PDB file of all heavy atoms in Angstrom:
ATOM      1  N   LEU A   5      -0.947  13.914  36.853  1.00 44.00           N
ATOM      2  CA  LEU A   5      -1.100  14.753  35.678  1.00 44.00           C
ATOM      3  C   LEU A   5       0.221  15.083  35.035  1.00 44.00           C
ATOM      4  O   LEU A   5       0.300  15.391  33.861  1.00 44.00           O
ATOM      5  CB  LEU A   5      -1.831  16.051  36.052  1.00 44.00           C
ATOM      6  CG  LEU A   5      -3.353  15.957  36.097  1.00 44.00           C
ATOM      7  CD1 LEU A   5      -3.937  17.216  36.686  1.00 44.00           C
ATOM      8  CD2 LEU A   5      -3.902  15.702  34.705  1.00 44.00           C
ATOM      9  N   VAL A  46     -17.836 -12.367   1.607  1.00 91.00           N
ATOM     10  CA  VAL A  46     -17.178 -11.723   0.464  1.00 91.00           C
ATOM     11  C   VAL A  46     -16.982 -12.713  -0.666  1.00 91.00           C
ATOM     12  O   VAL A  46     -17.179 -12.388  -1.848  1.00 91.00           O
ATOM     13  CB  VAL A  46     -15.831 -11.113   0.899  1.00 91.00           C
ATOM     14  CG1 VAL A  46     -14.954 -10.785  -0.314  1.00 91.00           C
ATOM     15  CG2 VAL A  46     -16.058  -9.859   1.721  1.00 91.00           C
ATOM     16  N   GLN A  82     -13.640 -24.205 -22.049  1.00 75.00           N
ATOM     17  CA  GLN A  82     -12.318 -24.023 -21.448  1.00 75.00           C
ATOM     18  C   GLN A  82     -12.364 -23.043 -20.283  1.00 75.00           C
ATOM     19  O   GLN A  82     -11.614 -23.183 -19.310  1.00 75.00           O
ATOM     20  CB  GLN A  82     -11.329 -23.537 -22.507  1.00 75.00           C
ATOM     21  CG  GLN A  82     -10.999 -24.577 -23.567  1.00 75.00           C
ATOM     22  CD  GLN A  82     -10.110 -24.015 -24.666  1.00 75.00           C
ATOM     23  OE1 GLN A  82      -9.912 -22.794 -24.768  1.00 75.00           O
ATOM     24  NE2 GLN A  82      -9.572 -24.903 -25.506  1.00 75.00           N
ATOM     25  N   LEU A 156      -6.154  30.385  11.004  1.00 87.00           N
ATOM     26  CA  LEU A 156      -5.620  29.109  10.545  1.00 87.00           C
ATOM     27  C   LEU A 156      -6.686  28.027  10.593  1.00 87.00           C
ATOM     28  O   LEU A 156      -6.798  27.217   9.662  1.00 87.00           O
ATOM     29  CB  LEU A 156      -4.425  28.707  11.416  1.00 87.00           C
ATOM     30  CG  LEU A 156      -3.822  27.330  11.117  1.00 87.00           C
ATOM     31  CD1 LEU A 156      -3.240  27.295   9.705  1.00 87.00           C
ATOM     32  CD2 LEU A 156      -2.755  26.968  12.143  1.00 87.00           C
ATOM     33  N   ASN A 271      -4.575  11.153  23.575  1.00 79.00           N
ATOM     34  CA  ASN A 271      -5.954  10.655  23.620  1.00 79.00           C
ATOM     35  C   ASN A 271      -6.719  10.984  22.337  1.00 79.00           C
ATOM     36  O   ASN A 271      -7.558  10.204  21.889  1.00 79.00           O
ATOM     37  CB  ASN A 271      -6.684  11.246  24.820  1.00 79.00           C
ATOM     38  CG  ASN A 271      -6.160  10.693  26.129  1.00 79.00           C
ATOM     39  OD1 ASN A 271      -5.935   9.501  26.265  1.00 79.00           O
ATOM     40  ND2 ASN A 271      -5.941  11.563  27.097  1.00 79.00           N
ATOM     41  N   VAL A 280      -6.454   4.992  10.025  1.00 82.00           N
ATOM     42  CA  VAL A 280      -5.169   4.568   9.461  1.00 82.00           C
ATOM     43  C   VAL A 280      -5.240   3.120   8.997  1.00 82.00           C
ATOM     44  O   VAL A 280      -4.812   2.780   7.885  1.00 82.00           O
ATOM     45  CB  VAL A 280      -4.041   4.743  10.496  1.00 82.00           C
ATOM     46  CG1 VAL A 280      -2.754   4.091  10.001  1.00 82.00           C
ATOM     47  CG2 VAL A 280      -3.790   6.221  10.771  1.00 82.00           C
ATOM     48  N   GLY A 285      -5.660  -0.889   4.546  1.00 73.00           N
ATOM     49  CA  GLY A 285      -6.370  -1.926   3.807  1.00 73.00           C
ATOM     50  C   GLY A 285      -6.611  -1.538   2.364  1.00 73.00           C
ATOM     51  O   GLY A 285      -6.433  -2.345   1.443  1.00 73.00           O
ATOM     52  N   PHE A 286      -6.962  -0.289   2.138  1.00 68.00           N
ATOM     53  CA  PHE A 286      -7.203   0.164   0.773  1.00 68.00           C
ATOM     54  C   PHE A 286      -5.915   0.337  -0.015  1.00 68.00           C
ATOM     55  O   PHE A 286      -5.962   0.429  -1.250  1.00 68.00           O
ATOM     56  CB  PHE A 286      -7.997   1.475   0.780  1.00 68.00           C
ATOM     57  CG  PHE A 286      -9.463   1.279   1.001  1.00 68.00           C
ATOM     58  CD1 PHE A 286     -10.073   1.703   2.169  1.00 68.00           C
ATOM     59  CD2 PHE A 286     -10.238   0.644   0.048  1.00 68.00           C
ATOM     60  CE1 PHE A 286     -11.428   1.511   2.379  1.00 68.00           C
ATOM     61  CE2 PHE A 286     -11.603   0.446   0.247  1.00 68.00           C
ATOM     62  CZ  PHE A 286     -12.195   0.886   1.411  1.00 68.00           C
ATOM     63  N   GLU A 295      -5.223   5.695 -10.241  1.00 89.00           N
ATOM     64  CA  GLU A 295      -4.377   4.876 -11.110  1.00 89.00           C
ATOM     65  C   GLU A 295      -4.910   4.870 -12.538  1.00 89.00           C
ATOM     66  O   GLU A 295      -4.130   4.795 -13.491  1.00 89.00           O
ATOM     67  CB  GLU A 295      -4.284   3.464 -10.562  1.00 89.00           C
ATOM     68  CG  GLU A 295      -3.495   3.371  -9.257  1.00 89.00           C
ATOM     69  CD  GLU A 295      -3.265   1.933  -8.824  1.00 89.00           C
ATOM     70  OE1 GLU A 295      -3.731   1.017  -9.530  1.00 89.00           O
ATOM     71  OE2 GLU A 295      -2.621   1.731  -7.775  1.00 89.00           O
ATOM     72  N   PRO A 301       0.502   1.697 -13.245  1.00 91.00           N
ATOM     73  CA  PRO A 301       0.325   0.247 -13.424  1.00 91.00           C
ATOM     74  C   PRO A 301       0.161  -0.514 -12.120  1.00 91.00           C
ATOM     75  O   PRO A 301       0.972  -1.377 -11.761  1.00 91.00           O
ATOM     76  CB  PRO A 301       1.617  -0.165 -14.146  1.00 91.00           C
ATOM     77  CG  PRO A 301       2.645   0.805 -13.648  1.00 91.00           C
ATOM     78  CD  PRO A 301       1.909   2.111 -13.478  1.00 91.00           C
ATOM     79  N   PHE A 307      -7.815  -3.620 -12.155  1.00 88.00           N
ATOM     80  CA  PHE A 307      -9.239  -3.836 -11.923  1.00 88.00           C
ATOM     81  C   PHE A 307     -10.079  -3.107 -12.969  1.00 88.00           C
ATOM     82  O   PHE A 307     -11.058  -3.655 -13.496  1.00 88.00           O
ATOM     83  CB  PHE A 307      -9.596  -3.357 -10.522  1.00 88.00           C
ATOM     84  CG  PHE A 307     -11.021  -3.621 -10.125  1.00 88.00           C
ATOM     85  CD1 PHE A 307     -11.460  -4.911  -9.892  1.00 88.00           C
ATOM     86  CD2 PHE A 307     -11.921  -2.580  -9.976  1.00 88.00           C
ATOM     87  CE1 PHE A 307     -12.777  -5.175  -9.529  1.00 88.00           C
ATOM     88  CE2 PHE A 307     -13.227  -2.823  -9.616  1.00 88.00           C
ATOM     89  CZ  PHE A 307     -13.659  -4.122  -9.392  1.00 88.00           C
TER      90      PHE A 307
END
Side-chain angles (χ1 to χ4, degrees):
L5 277 171
V46 164
Q82 291 175 348
L156 176 64
N271 290 316
V280 171
F286 280 112
E295 291 187 359
F307 184 70

